[in-house]
Each structure stands twice: as structure tokens, then as C-alpha cells.
Amino acid sequence: MCVLKVMGWKKDNMKRVYMSMQRSVLDYAAPAWQPWLSDTKKGKLEVAQNKALRLVTGQYASTPLEAVRLEADVESYSTHSKHLCAIAYEKAVRLDPESPNTLGVQH
């Protein structure tokens, strides 16, 4: 991301690169592994996102995170993670009860 900033990329293009390259990696199978992450590991995911968003928006380290997220139009990663887990749970609950895919869901 730093290289893109030095090359003079626009904010929208840098956000697209972040969302497609870094965020997609963080989101891969997120409902399966993120609920069991320790608070320390969740904090590291937040820090990674915050660094990328500061590069995208060009904000200083002293700028409050909420202002950076608002400018980038990106929610906190913990909120995003909870959203992904809720969607996965709802999909699993709506499956046919006889389906083998519902083994991990308690009704």
C-alpha cells in the first residue's frame, strides 16, 4: 500500500486495492475461525486494517480511528467480522434439518 501511495494513486483506487487484496484475505472463511480468536489476535486484525485505512485516507496517526473509518467509509473490523458470522449463522439455520451441512449448528 505504501508503494501505491508514493506512486500517487487516488484514494478510491487505493481503497479498492485494500478491499480486494487485504480484506478479502482476512474475510476468507471468517465465520469458521474468527469466533475463536483471542482478543489479542482480534486487536492485531484491527491494527492491520487501521494502518491500511490511514494510508488510504492520508490521515495522521493522531487522527481518531472513527474519523479515519468514516472518511474511508469502512466499519471497524470487529463489527465487520460479527456481521459475517451472523450471516453465516443465518444461512446455516435456514438449511434443511436433514442436511449434513447443519451438523455444526445447534437449533
Side-chain angles (χ1 to χ4, degrees):
M1 295 284 294
C2 287
V3 173
L4 301 179
K5 187 75 169 176
V6 171
M7 293 174 61
W9 279 39
K10 292 183 180 179
K11 191 183 305 185
D12 292 338
N13 293 337
M14 288 183 56
K15 181 181 172 188
R16 284 189 190 121
V17 169
Y18 162 71
M19 296 299 267
S20 63
M21 301 298 287
Q22 186 175 356
R23 185 87 172 265
S24 64
V25 170
L26 296 176
D27 291 348
Y28 181 74
W33 58 271
Q34 287 185 359
W36 290 271
L37 282 179
S38 67
D39 290 339
T40 305
K41 299 294 183 186
K42 288 178 184 176
K44 288 184 179 186
L45 292 175
E46 286 284 350
V47 168
Q49 174 174 286
N50 295 339
K51 284 182 181 180
L53 292 181
R54 286 188 193 283
L55 286 171
V56 167
T57 60
Q59 297 294 331
Y60 294 110
S62 60
T63 305
L65 288 175
E66 288 303 318
V68 174
R69 290 182 193 131
L70 185 64
E71 184 175 337
D73 193 28
V74 175
E75 61 195 358
S76 73
Y77 194 73
S78 62
T79 303
H80 179 68
S81 176
K82 290 175 187 174
H83 183 244
L84 291 175
C85 291
I87 290 172
Y89 179 78
E90 283 297 321
K91 285 182 179 179
V93 168
R94 295 168 194 257
L95 287 173
D96 179 25
E98 301 298 319
S99 171
N101 294 336
T102 59
L103 292 176
V105 179
Q106 298 173 353
H107 291 280

